[in-house]
Amino acid sequence: MSDNEVNKFVESEANRRRTFAIISHPDAGKTTLTEKLLLYSGMIRTAGMVRGRKTGKKAASDWMAMEQERGISITASAMQFEYKDRIINVLDTPGHQDFSEDTYRTLTAADSAIMVIDAAKGVETQTRKLFKVCAMHKIPVLTFINKMDLPARDPFELLEELENVLGIKASPKNWPLGSGKQFIGTADCETREITLFEKAQKTGADIVAAKKISFEEARNDKDIKSDLFSQLEYELDLIAEAGNRFNTDDFLSGDITQVFFGSALTNFGLEPFFDSFIDTAPAPRAREIIMPDGERKELDPVSENFSAFVFKIQANMDPKHRDSMAFARVCSGKFERDLLVNHERLGKKIRVSRSLRMNAGERETADVAFPGDILGLINPGVFSIGDTISVDGGFIFKPLPQFSPEVVARIRPKDIGKRKSFDKGLLQLGTEGAIQVLSTVGSGHTETVVAAVGKLQFEVLQDRMRRDYQVETILEPLPYEHGAWIVGPETGFKKPSRALLATDTSGRLVGLFYTEREKDFAAEQNPGFQFLNFSN
Ligand code: G4P
């Protein structure tokens, strides 16, 4: 193939790809929606098999449970499948208690996000946190207001909440016809075409049949109660007059979200949502890179040679393989196995011959990949989070953020003789980004403490220490719940008495505080210093 033909091929493959994450508060319906995406893509024939989660102990990842139960192509980190001639890459962002920095970083590998909101609850804490990260990275967000088959809050009130709480303009694409038991369809806000759904099957196991009728036909449809219709007409008029107009540029820069209403359980409104999503959500776009002199440029996904960055490292996913896997997001060009690439951090060339994707729970060699795809790279100590690899070399992608810790603890090996394995384990888990390893400063002897964004990370840490390094550990939680990177002059920082100062593995100063108020107070007392909630 000539260069031109290769470019054309990469362009058409890149344009087919939609790489996104689904973000939500626990129980809003992310798992159900993901499952239905598989149902509508033809990956599974019936939905509703991931049951009993409330009864038994929840699986480490819902996706892993799905994988085991169905034997389909899912990994704990990314899942690839086709939906109507598009290639979908869904990234897993656990929004549950196992919420961690990993979740945040994974979002940097996404080109867009679907935000699932429970129609009765509105915007909840975890959604807010995840949304903030999307906003920080200017990731376009589409909103699916779920559970419309149950008593729901007023749709206008929900839109207002998106605007007030998240600070994003909301533009409804469709509008619910009724809610709760009376939720029978949706109307397109622009064309007013109405989609009426066949009576719900209780489980939503199969694709739901839908009938499309015009607004005028709906006016005389005997299945639509006249008061419901009048209300819909009134509301659509209101939206036409005062609603936010959707605009692709604003959407791509993260200033406006397109909103859909539906029910993931009964499948109402799903197909219109998925169809609209694959059209509206962006294909892989140019990404910012940093040149050695600090200059920032945009890297075109199509015309440039292969490049990728590592956003996650996971060790021992398969107990049969004791190595760790680096997950890399392809940003430009075509990847072919055995490619020789520049590893910027190490300043050397490496051959990528062990490139994988996970298929049906099995590791499968990935011979080719395109922008938007996620590669699993076997990592014999070569990769760290944030690493850039590229054929041309000479640049890095923007460093991945670290987030200020919310839990801090002292940790030591139970058996002092295991110190060496303990140190090795801590170093590895720090590299993976599972936890942050900090060294205290200023209080006589230096002590190692661990910090993380979610409590569950400590359980993971102790479990991994036990399984992978054969070290039993003693963990003593410390009362610090608010942290910040402190940037400023070398001296002169006034430390509040209850605060703890430490340095991270890159030598940056971190302040740990009991309360948000104490952190704010420390910031006020030290006007010459910046307090950062995430570090780049
Ligand atoms: P999550 O991944 O965001 O945590 O949410 P998940 O999909 O697990 O959904 C949480 C609960 O809400 C599940 O019920 C699920 O069946 C239900 N649900 C999801 N979407 C809808 C919807 O559109 N309408 C209604 N009525 N319910 C919905 P559960 O009883 O907690 O668990 P399960 O035993 O049904 O799995």
Side-chain angles (χ1 to χ4, degrees):
M1 272 203 241
S2 70
D3 281 359
N4 203 13
E5 282 166 339
V6 172
N7 275 358
K8 280 235 143 41
F9 184 51
V10 173
E11 183 171 25
S12 79
E13 285 299 323
N15 282 340
R16 289 174 70 198
R17 275 154 171 84
R18 297 292 178 272
T19 302
F20 62 95
I22 305 181
I23 59 172
S24 69
H25 191 80
D27 273 350
K30 189 181 77 153
T31 312
T32 313
L33 192 73
T34 310
E35 193 182 32
K36 295 307 170 69
L37 193 49
L38 295 173
L39 176 73
Y40 277 82
S41 69
M43 284 285 292
I44 54 173
R45 261 170 292 141
T46 54
M49 290 159 81
V50 194
R51 292 289 113 170
R53 276 180 281 119
K54 287 278 145 70
T55 44
K57 194 172 180 295
K58 202 168 169 105
S61 148
D62 287 337
W63 287 13
M64 276 180 174
M66 280 198 221
E67 186 168 86
Q68 281 159 9
E69 287 177 33
R70 309 229 182 84
I72 52 174
S73 165
I74 297 176
T75 85
S77 296
M79 157 164 82
Q80 188 178 68
F81 55 90
E82 260 188 83
Y83 179 83
K84 300 190 179 170
D85 82 8
R86 296 286 158 84
I87 307 257
I88 304 283
N89 292 308
V90 195
L91 296 156
D92 189 17
T93 51
H96 299 92
Q97 62 276 51
D98 39 356
F99 187 76
S100 67
E101 284 195 81
D102 238 19
T103 309
Y104 291 135
R105 286 200 211 97
T106 296
L107 284 172
T108 63
D111 294 318
S112 62
I114 294 177
M115 175 165 72
V116 185
I117 304 269
D118 182 325
K121 298 191 176 144
V123 178
E124 298 173 86
T125 21
Q126 230 51 316
T127 317
R128 221 168 39 221
K129 283 191 184 178
L130 289 162
F131 177 83
K132 242 183 169 168
V133 182
C134 291
M136 196 172 94
H137 293 284
K138 298 207 174 302
I139 297 170
V141 175
L142 283 119
T143 303
F144 185 77
I145 299 197
N146 190 30
K147 303 199 186 183
M148 287 302 295
D149 59 307
L150 295 176
R153 279 167 55 188
D154 175 56
F156 284 111
E157 200 186 297
L158 288 166
L159 296 187
E160 224 176 87
E161 189 165 290
L162 291 177
E163 307 211 353
N164 294 340
V165 177
L166 302 180
I168 190 168
K169 281 192 277 179
S171 170
K173 167 74 177 159
N174 69 11
W175 200 253
L177 178 52
S179 75
K181 285 204 175 75
Q182 297 214 51
F183 179 49
I184 55 169
T186 54
D188 187 291
C189 293
E190 197 80 29
T191 65
R192 299 206 172 190
E193 185 182 56
I194 289 178
T195 308
L196 286 177
F197 309 111
E198 293 269 296
K199 265 233 159 339
Q201 327 110 319
K202 222 172 166 192
T203 57
D206 302 312
I207 287 175
V208 74
K211 165 171 98 167
K212 290 195 170 168
I213 56 173
S214 73
F215 195 64
E216 287 316 312
E217 282 168 325
R219 194 185 293 281
N220 303 311
D221 194 303
K222 59 178 180 1
D223 290 337
I224 305 175
K225 288 196 183 126
S226 63
D227 58 335
L228 265 192
F229 185 83
S230 309
Q231 188 186 346
L232 177 72
E233 187 168 29
Y234 168 74
E235 291 175 338
L236 288 178
D237 285 346
L238 209 61
I239 293 163
E241 217 167 278
N244 291 314
R245 289 256 167 275
F246 181 76
N247 161 316
T248 308
D249 286 343
D250 289 349
F251 166 69
L252 292 179
S253 58
D255 294 327
I256 197 164
T257 179
Q258 195 168 40
V259 182
F260 298 78
F261 292 85
S263 158
L265 187 70
T266 62
N267 303 343
F268 278 22
L270 290 190
E271 201 167 8
F273 170 60
F274 294 148
D275 288 355
S276 211
F277 170 76
I278 56 168
D279 277 343
T280 312
R285 291 184 287 162
R287 288 198 167 234
E288 193 174 77
I289 52 170
I290 305 175
M291 310 308 284
D293 62 1
E295 192 196 349
R296 291 180 181 235
K297 285 186 179 169
E298 298 264 283
L299 181 89
D300 185 76
V302 174
S303 59
E304 299 295 335
N305 285 324
F306 167 77
S307 68
F309 70 89
V310 175
F311 63 93
K312 174 170 175 155
I313 295 207
Q314 196 162 25
N316 310 322
M317 280 171 72
D318 178 348
K320 289 197 295 269
H321 302 262
R322 303 231 5 119
D323 37 23
S324 64
M325 173 108 86
F327 290 93
R329 141 95 201 206
V330 181
C331 296
S332 65
K334 182 183 178 191
F335 168 81
E336 280 174 292
R337 198 158 60 85
D338 287 333
L339 205 59
L340 196 61
V341 298
N342 290 282
H343 187 307
E344 285 307 310
R345 183 177 52 85
L346 300 181
K348 65 177 192 186
K349 282 191 186 284
I350 56 165
R351 194 170 293 284
V352 186
S353 44
R354 300 178 71 195
S355 50
L356 302 167
R357 61 171 61 97
M358 300 282 283
N359 224 332
E362 292 294 322
R363 292 173 171 207
E364 182 186 274
T365 299
D367 288 320
V368 288
F370 295 95
D373 286 346
I374 308 301
L375 283 173
L377 307 174
I378 297 294
N379 172 29
V382 171
F383 296 113
S384 292
I385 285 172
D387 278 348
T388 296
I389 51 171
S390 66
V391 165
D392 294 332
F395 65 86
I396 54 166
F397 288 98
K398 241 175 37 182
L400 297 189
Q402 272 196 316
F403 292 84
S404 59
E406 292 172 7
V407 284
V408 183
R410 244 185 229 120
I411 188 167
R412 59 189 156 90
K414 235 182 211 165
D415 173 358
I416 201 79
K418 295 259 183 172
R419 187 86 218 178
K420 234 172 142 180
S421 305
F422 172 83
D423 287 345
K424 192 171 153 212
L426 216 53
L427 184 71
Q428 168 66 18
L429 291 165
T431 311
E432 280 178 34
I435 42 136
Q436 294 173 30
V437 182
L438 305 175
S439 308
T440 60
V441 290
S443 54
H445 75 291
T446 298
E447 202 181 6
T448 300
V449 296
V450 286
V453 174
K455 254 202 188 90
L456 190 91
Q457 289 309 104
F458 286 162
E459 282 173 39
V460 172
L461 167 66
Q462 289 195 285
D463 186 53
R464 291 279 306 279
M465 280 293 207
R466 190 176 305 123
R467 276 192 304 121
D468 301 341
Y469 301 93
Q470 288 75 49
V471 183
E472 290 293 334
T473 51
I474 296 171
L475 190 102
E476 279 172 55
L478 295 170
Y480 308 101
E481 292 182 0
H482 300 269
W485 276 272
I486 299 170
V487 183
E490 296 230 325
T491 53
F493 184 78
K494 288 191 222 114
K495 183 180 94 68
S497 58
R498 290 213 298 183
L500 183 67
L501 290 184
T503 48
D504 66 11
T505 44
S506 306
R508 293 171 300 201
L509 190 65
V510 181
L512 299 165
F513 308 90
Y514 281 28
T515 63
E516 186 76 32
R517 258 192 92 234
E518 287 181 22
K519 182 168 115 178
D520 292 345
F521 182 70
E524 276 167 34
Q525 294 295 301
N526 292 284
F529 292 81
Q530 260 184 303
F531 279 49
L532 306 177
N533 286 330
F534 57 88
S535 80
N536 254 333

